[in-house]
Amino acid sequence: MLMKAEQSTLLLVDVQERLMPAISQGAEVADRCTLLATIAGLLEVPVVGTEQLPEKLGPNVESVRELCNVTVGKHHFDACPDGLIDQLPEGRQQIVIGGCETHVCMLQTALSLLDAGYKVWVVADATGSRNDFDRDVALDRLHQSGARIVTTEMVAFEWMVHCKHPRFRDIQALIK
């Protein structure tokens, strides 16, 4: 099944300033999340962010925060009990998800979205945990649970569909 821009929402989980230094390759994860959100904006895909205990962990990194259409503050690891599903745009059943920590908040949120009937794609190169083993086990569990594991470039090119897309050159330049 292909991701379709008109059916997708990008969800970026807890890409928070104070959390990112503890994440393995945290700067790269934040950069990938920013790239995904930029591409989503160019293709009119809504972007939703979450922040875990923002009063203690602070906001998402500025580059992500600026690109989110809405941000859900939360105290559960799974964002769904804190109102995430109510903030998702109606009629968009495909959730493309990245963020942190892959094995905790991102995993639990993705599993709940699957349980709620959404189709979920996890962007592997836009996810992070404090250690890579936890991240890798979480990605495997998500795959076994029905999520599709993809990369940022897969998302971009599937959302564009063809090289004649009016944003193709803009997005190609971002990726290179």
Side-chain angles (χ1 to χ4, degrees):
M1 174 181 293
L2 293 172
M3 293 168 274
K4 295 178 174 36
E6 65 276 3
Q7 295 176 18
S8 293
T9 298
L10 176 63
L11 174 60
L12 299 176
V13 176
D14 305 351
V15 188
Q16 290 169 265
E17 291 175 356
R18 290 189 196 151
L19 178 61
M20 298 317 293
I23 300 299
S24 175
Q25 300 176 16
E28 290 86 356
V29 171
D31 288 347
R32 281 293 171 173
C33 289
T34 300
L35 176 59
L36 276 169
T38 302
I39 292 166
L42 289 171
L43 299 176
E44 299 180 10
V45 172
V47 181
V48 176
T50 70
E51 294 173 341
Q52 179 73 24
L53 288 177
E55 65 277 8
K56 293 190 179 185
L57 294 176
N60 284 331
V61 296
E62 185 177 350
S63 58
V64 167
R65 190 172 62 241
E66 291 173 347
L67 295 167
C68 288
N69 301 99
V70 65
T71 300
V72 177
K74 62 188 186 65
H75 63 274
H76 290 88
F77 301 123
D78 173 1
C80 294
D82 289 315
L84 172 65
I85 290 176
D86 294 335
Q87 296 298 320
L88 296 174
E90 270 188 53
R92 292 178 175 260
Q93 291 300 304
Q94 297 183 353
I95 307 297
V96 177
I97 186 172
C100 299
E101 284 197 59
T102 311
H103 67 293
V104 183
C105 295
M106 204 209 66
L107 171 95
Q108 291 183 32
T109 301
L111 291 174
S112 284
L113 290 168
L114 285 164
D115 286 345
Y118 289 91
K119 295 173 181 79
V120 176
W121 283 263
V122 178
V123 188
D125 58 333
T127 67
S129 293
R130 283 173 288 125
N131 70 67
D132 293 331
F133 182 71
D134 282 333
R135 178 188 167 275
D136 294 345
V137 170
L139 290 173
D140 187 52
R141 181 176 174 197
L142 285 161
H143 176 70
Q144 291 175 18
S145 299
R148 292 145 181 100
I149 310 301
V150 296
T151 66
T152 299
E153 287 196 32
M154 290 170 143
V155 174
F157 288 100
E158 284 182 40
W159 277 350
M160 285 189 291
V161 180
H162 54 76
C163 64
K164 298 287 186 186
H165 191 286
R167 292 296 195 167
F168 175 77
R169 290 205 186 277
D170 297 329
I171 291 171
Q172 186 181 38
L174 288 170
I175 290 171
K176 287 184 175 184

